[in-house]
């Protein structure tokens, strides 16, 4: 089977869409299938092309047996609705033109971003091949939630297109049960949907093979109780609230470590400087293969989002990475993510944007050694239950049925 996958995020980018796509495609190659990924020059989240790459009209490389075609797009930093829309739309156009020369048996397009699926739909019509809409985000609802778009004509138009694409797809693959319910409630047949959640890469995130001692010493955190956040510093993640909490912690042993970049990074650095926060350290983005060592260097994995009904439907991939490393999760997300963490007792949940609750739960993790050990052990159970290899095989079965 020849699989064409369209995504605007792919390694060496290290965000969740890039990681999920790469790991699934690699498994499919191992199963003997031909996989081609059309993507753009790596630039997320800074909006700057990575060293060794160029923003050219067409370039090819091979990544672990996956043929990767990179096309030109309008590149901008992850901020500003109009600029980001131009970024997303330009990739939809150039990925479509590149896809015309391919001979796929099936086409997959993933969101976010939403415009990628336009390309998948158009190619399926030209090629007369089935296409799959992988729903990683409820767009445009999610951008309304973070305040980047208000209700009105533009929002209503985008939502109409969203529903049209769901209906036109041969298969819809939401990443959470809550996404499936949302789509079903809006008229998308449950029978054409298959939930494939994010999962754990048990090969990369190996607690026995990771060593963060040198990192702790390098960052001056040797005797600290470190709360780590690894990922995008974006509008949805509410990290300014976390800094506000950090400023009220009297326990000098507790230290926050933020690793990554994003549209809010400069603002967060400014807040930390103005408030003279001594218990906060920022680190630039790191390669994916180094993330396990950095997680091994922290005591708690922090996973926050803004308080919103929309975010009750998401399951951040960070919880699977932390669980694989047997690292207790401090989760500030309600809904399905909370249900998973509590089902396996792999972390403690606090109410999003509730300062007192966060500080209480963090203090409990630091004080209660038996609780800490039990949660750490339970992480391994959660990780095994969401093994990425098994989930990739499940998705492949669905693709084979369509073809």
């Amino acid at each position: 089977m020849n699989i064409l996958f369209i995504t605007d995020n792919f390694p060496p980018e290290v965000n969740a869409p890039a990681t999920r796509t790469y790991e699934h495609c690699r498994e499919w190659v191992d199963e003997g299938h031909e996989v081609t990924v059309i993507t753009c020059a790596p630039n997320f989240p800074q909006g700057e092309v990575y060293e060794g790459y160029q923003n050219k009209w067409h370039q090819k490389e091979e990544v672990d047996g996956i043929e990767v075609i990179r096309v030109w797009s309008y590149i901008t930093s992850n901020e500003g609705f109009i600029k980001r829309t131009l970024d997303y739309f330009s990739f939809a156009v150039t990925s479509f033109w590149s896809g015309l020369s391919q001979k796929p048996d099936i086409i997959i397009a993933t969101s976010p971003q939403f415009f990628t699926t336009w390309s998948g739909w158009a190619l399926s019509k030209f090629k007369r091949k089935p296409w799959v809409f992988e729903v990683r985000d409820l767009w445009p609802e999610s951008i309304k939630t973070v305040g980047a778009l208000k209700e009105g004509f533009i929002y209503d138009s985008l939502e109409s297109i969203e529903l049209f694409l769901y209906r036109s797809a041969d298969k819809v693959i939401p990443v959470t049960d809550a996404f499936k319910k949302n789509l079903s409630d809006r008229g998308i047949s449950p029978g054409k949907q298959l939930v494939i959640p994010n999962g754990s890469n048990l090969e990369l995130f190996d607690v026995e093979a990771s060593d963060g001692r040198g990192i702790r010493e390098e960052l001056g955190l040797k005797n600290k109780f470190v709360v780590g956040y690894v990922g995008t510093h974006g509008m949805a993640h509410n990290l300014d609230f976390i800094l506000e909490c950090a400023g009220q912690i009297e326990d000098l042993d507790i230290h926050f470590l933020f690793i990554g970049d994003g549209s809010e990074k400069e603002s967060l650095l400014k807040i930390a400087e103005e408030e003279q926060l001594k218990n906060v350290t920022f680190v630039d983005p790191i390669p994916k293969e180094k993330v396990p060592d950095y997680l091994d260097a922290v005591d708690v994995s922090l996973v926050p989002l803004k308080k919103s009904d929309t975010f009750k439907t998401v399951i951040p991939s960070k919880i699977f990475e932390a669980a694989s490393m047997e690292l207790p999760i401090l989760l500030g997300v309600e809904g399905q993510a909370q249900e998973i963490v509590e089902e396996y007792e792999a972390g403690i949940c606090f109410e999003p944007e509730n300062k007192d609750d966060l500080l209480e739960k963090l203090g409990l993790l630091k004080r209660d050694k038996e609780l800490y050990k039990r949660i750490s052990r339970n992480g391994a159970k959660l990780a095994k239950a969401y093994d990425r290899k098994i989930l990739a095989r499940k998705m492949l079965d669905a693709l084979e049925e369509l073809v």
Side-chain angles (χ1 to χ4, degrees):
M1 183 166 59
N2 193 328
I3 303 170
L4 177 61
F5 205 119
I6 305 172
T7 173
D8 74 333
N9 291 119
F10 196 75
E13 293 172 324
V14 296
N15 60 346
T19 299
R20 175 186 170 100
T21 300
Y22 162 73
E23 292 178 356
H24 281 189
C25 290
R26 188 187 62 182
E27 290 298 324
W28 301 338
V29 168
D30 290 345
E31 292 283 344
H33 299 280
E34 295 181 17
V35 181
T36 300
V37 171
I38 297 180
T39 187
C40 55
N43 67 88
F44 182 87
Q46 299 95 332
E48 299 176 359
V49 177
Y50 286 26
E51 185 177 352
Y53 291 88
Q54 293 179 302
N55 190 21
K56 297 169 62 176
W57 286 106
H58 189 272
Q59 50 195 321
K60 284 186 179 182
E61 63 177 317
E62 184 176 303
V63 179
D64 295 336
I66 306 165
E67 181 181 58
V68 180
I69 299 174
R70 298 189 183 272
V71 297
W72 179 90
S73 66
Y74 172 78
I75 291 178
T76 182
S77 57
N78 190 29
E79 55 187 8
F81 176 72
I82 294 177
K83 286 186 176 181
R84 280 187 292 178
T85 300
L86 287 173
D87 182 347
Y88 300 161
F89 186 74
S90 66
F91 174 70
V93 173
T94 54
S95 63
F96 167 74
W97 284 109
S98 178
L100 288 175
S101 63
Q102 300 299 310
K103 297 180 179 179
D105 297 308
I106 192 166
I107 300 162
I108 308 169
T110 187
S111 70
Q113 43 90 358
F114 171 61
F115 293 93
T116 299
T117 56
W118 297 18
S119 175
W121 168 80
L123 284 171
S124 75
K125 298 306 178 185
F126 273 81
K127 298 291 183 180
R128 297 184 180 180
K129 298 294 182 181
W131 84 283
V132 174
F133 190 144
E134 183 182 62
V135 187
R136 289 193 45 81
D137 204 354
L138 293 176
W139 205 96
E141 182 178 323
S142 60
I143 60 172
K144 182 185 71 173
T145 298
V146 298
L149 179 66
K150 295 181 180 180
E151 287 194 30
F153 175 75
I154 294 178
Y155 178 85
D156 292 342
S157 299
L158 291 173
E159 186 176 39
S160 296
I161 295 172
E162 174 201 18
L163 291 171
F164 164 77
L165 291 169
Y166 292 148
R167 295 189 186 101
S168 71
D170 296 276
K171 196 77 174 180
V172 178
I173 298 188
V175 300
T176 72
D177 292 315
F179 281 6
K180 179 179 179 179
K181 183 180 185 305
N182 180 288
L183 270 56
S184 299
D185 290 345
R186 291 193 287 157
I188 308 305
S189 170
K192 75 183 299 183
Q193 299 183 60
L194 175 66
V195 177
I196 305 289
N198 288 323
S200 310
N201 183 339
L202 299 178
E203 293 178 352
L204 176 61
F205 291 90
D206 182 350
V207 66
E208 299 297 331
S210 303
D211 189 353
R213 288 174 295 180
I215 293 171
R216 287 183 76 103
E217 292 180 4
E218 178 185 345
L219 297 176
L221 305 175
K222 189 174 181 180
N223 297 314
K224 300 292 185 180
F225 186 82
V226 183
V227 182
Y229 175 88
V230 184
T232 304
H233 296 32
M235 297 173 67
H237 303 98
N238 211 28
L239 297 183
D240 52 345
F241 162 74
I242 302 300
L243 290 184
E244 183 181 346
C245 294
Q248 297 192 13
I249 293 178
E250 297 179 356
D251 188 339
L252 299 179
D253 289 339
I254 296 177
H255 198 95
F256 289 82
L257 176 63
F258 297 93
I259 304 166
D261 207 339
S263 60
E264 300 298 299
K265 179 72 173 281
E266 289 301 320
S267 174
L268 295 169
L269 288 169
K270 185 176 180 181
I271 292 172
E273 182 179 1
E274 290 177 349
E275 298 298 325
Q276 298 182 342
L277 299 178
K278 304 299 184 183
N279 59 344
V280 173
T281 298
F282 288 92
V283 173
D284 289 335
I286 56 176
K288 191 71 178 181
E289 61 270 17
K290 291 187 178 180
V291 173
D293 287 335
Y294 274 83
L295 287 179
D296 190 62
V298 308
D299 298 289
V300 172
S301 177
L302 176 65
V303 185
L305 284 174
K306 283 181 175 293
K307 186 175 179 63
S308 166
D309 287 343
T310 298
F311 293 139
K312 291 180 180 180
T313 64
V314 307
I315 306 175
S317 59
K318 297 178 185 67
I319 69 174
F320 302 110
E321 296 172 355
S324 300
M325 295 296 296
E326 299 181 19
L327 183 63
I329 300 162
L330 183 58
L331 182 73
V333 185
E334 297 175 313
Q336 195 166 358
Q338 180 176 354
E339 291 171 8
I340 292 174
V341 170
E342 291 182 344
E343 176 185 357
Y344 289 90
E345 294 185 86
I348 291 185
C349 305
F350 67 90
E351 181 184 3
E353 302 183 19
N354 185 326
K355 189 186 310 177
D356 292 337
D357 197 26
L358 184 153
L359 296 178
E360 179 186 344
K361 300 298 173 53
L362 176 56
L364 181 62
L365 279 174
K366 184 175 183 290
R367 292 191 309 271
D368 194 329
K369 305 303 181 185
E370 289 303 316
L371 173 67
Y372 185 94
K373 290 178 181 178
R374 184 171 71 253
I375 288 175
S376 298
R377 291 193 299 267
N378 289 339
K381 299 176 184 177
L382 189 160
K384 290 178 181 177
Y386 287 85
D387 186 338
R388 181 88 80 179
K389 284 181 176 289
I390 296 173
L391 296 171
R393 177 70 247 187
K394 182 180 179 182
M395 185 168 174
L396 182 61
D397 290 342
L399 302 182
E400 291 175 334
E401 286 181 11
L402 287 176
V403 171

